[in-house]
Amino acid sequence: MGSALSVTKHLQDVVQLTGKEVLLTCKVNKDGALAQWYHGDKEVNNSSKVSMVQKGRTFELRIRDVQESDGGYYRVKVQHKNAVVESTALVQEKLRVSRTFQDVKATAGQEVILKCEVNREDVTAEWKKDDKLLTEGRGVVMEQRGKEFILKIKHAQKSDTGFYTCLVKSGSEEVKISAEVAVEEFDKEWRILNFSLQTRNKLEAELTQFRPKLEPLRILLYGPVGSGKSSFINSIDVLFKGQMATGALADSAEAGYSFTKKYKTHRIEVKGRSEVLPFVFNDVMGLEDKKQDNKPEGVAPEDIISALKGHIPENYMFRPSAPLTEEQKSYNSDPSPTDKVHCLVCVLPADKITFMTDDVFSKMKQIRETASDMGIPQVAMMTRVDVECPVAKSDLRKIYYSMKIKEKMQECSNRLGVPMNCIFPVKNYHEETKVVLEVDVLILDALSHIVNFANDYAKLNLLG
Ligand SMILES: Nc1nc2c(ncn2[C@@H]2O[C@H](COP(=O)(O)OP(=O)(O)O)[C@@H](O)[C@H]2O)c(=O)[nH]1
Ligand SMILES: [Mg+2]
């Protein structure tokens, strides 16, 4: 009779390099036994991939060219008469990296994503920056999706620069993926602006005490709907009043596309004084692409040009498809020097410049060229810097350290044809309940330049 059927040599777990061969061996104590092999639940058949061999009491399974799909549990079921015994082993490809991440160069404020993948799921990972363990928080998020590992740095800052490693482990196996992340920001501000209260008050005093050669100087703001023209006028109003304005001019960004169709002069009162500032603002929304659905057509470039020359009367209602002509009664054919525009300011939202069509820019160019022919100084104001740049959002004092802001200003300059030194980034008051020093300084700085340009122009061209 002898002893009962039993396994004398069990299958051994195997970790093998991809492409190599795996040999599983099982031995029993009886002659004439039969074996069936399983990979998971599926019975294994002889193929070019696997072959099963029996040598007396020994059973072998050979797997050639091991790939990921060959991984998993293998089981051999050995039968002798009515008795059955089994042995099981795990076959795995050796842990390896199937996708690495590359070095990253980002500008401050961008999102940095490092993504890598290994060939197995039975792993854990840790992330290191310069050999120090990284933890989540402050915009740093780590994720595992099966075999994939992702590190996200939401608004990368200069301090996030470093050597990043993802260390993936399974038991005693370990693989590493590393790369350099460089987050760039200027070491020095490329335009000097002092954000002290002293500077603010000095700039404000200069403007309130300013006596231009011509009064009032007229500043025309133009730009697409939602670019922040009304908000800018509103902000100036807030700044000189020293408190939040009640009758807000700005349209909510979500309130469809209502826009200023009326040619209206905005005068700014100064706190504690009965007089108004010696410069005034008009804003016209212009140049929207007619074809874009839901958007209203902007004021015709011809009308903006007429406004530059002083032909558009106060309270005139613009009709986009029918610009004002000399023959019409409302046409101001004999404008006084103060009816004319003394500085043309193009208002562009930092977060939308990239998405504006060439068509819109070519219309702006038409206006700019006319203004240039007339010698009218031109400035571009870049609004919504806080929306576009997290560095500016968290600290406006850093605005001229931000590469992103410089990049956007460069884009304004290239597409609009205005030199960099005539472009001013500003943040408007839009949801604040208190005045903010940094907001004031940026606006006052831009405004001082605009007013001085306007005054120089008036002096040279409009006064005998
Ligand atoms: N975050 C932020 N929002 C702004 C800024 N300037 C304007 N806005 C918002 O942008 C939207 C459009 O502004 P508005 O002044 O009505 O644009 P307009 O059509 O050119 O007169 C409004 O919702 C404003 O509150 C800014 O500097 N930062
Ligand atoms: Mg408006």
Side-chain angles (χ1 to χ4, degrees), residues 13 15 48 96 98 135 149 328 338 359-360 389 406:
D13 289 348
V15 175
S48 56
R96 69 180 160 84
S98 49
T135 49
F149 296 91
Q328 283 167 270
T338 56
D359 195 44
V360 170
C389 171
K406 193 173 189 189

Side-chain angles (χ1 to χ4, degrees), residues 315-361:
N315 289 325
Y316 175 74
M317 284 293 286
F318 289 107
R319 282 175 301 159
S321 44
L324 185 64
T325 59
E326 276 176 61
E327 293 74 39
Q328 283 167 270
K329 221 172 67 212
S330 27
Y331 190 85
N332 180 1
S333 53
D334 186 22
S336 74
T338 56
D339 291 331
K340 298 179 182 179
V341 169
H342 311 112
C343 187
L344 177 64
V345 178
C346 179
V347 183
L348 293 174
D351 57 318
K352 292 176 194 149
I353 301 157
T354 310
F355 312 104
M356 287 166 57
T357 63
D358 289 338
D359 195 44
V360 170
F361 278 102

Side-chain angles (χ1 to χ4, degrees), residues 35 67 100 129 164 171 202 236 262 271 293 304 330 412 424-425 431 445 448:
Q67 298 297 323
T100 61
K129 181 192 169 213
Y164 285 76
K202 184 169 155 276
I236 293 169
K262 207 186 233 180
K271 182 170 74 174
D293 34 4
I304 300 180
S330 27
C412 281
F424 298 92
E431 58 181 16
D445 180 54
S448 299

Side-chain angles (χ1 to χ4, degrees), residues 225-226 228-231 249-251 258-260 283 285:
V225 66
K229 300 177 293 297
S230 303
S231 302
L249 291 160
D251 309 317
S258 64
F259 68 100
T260 318
D283 73 326
M285 165 269 188

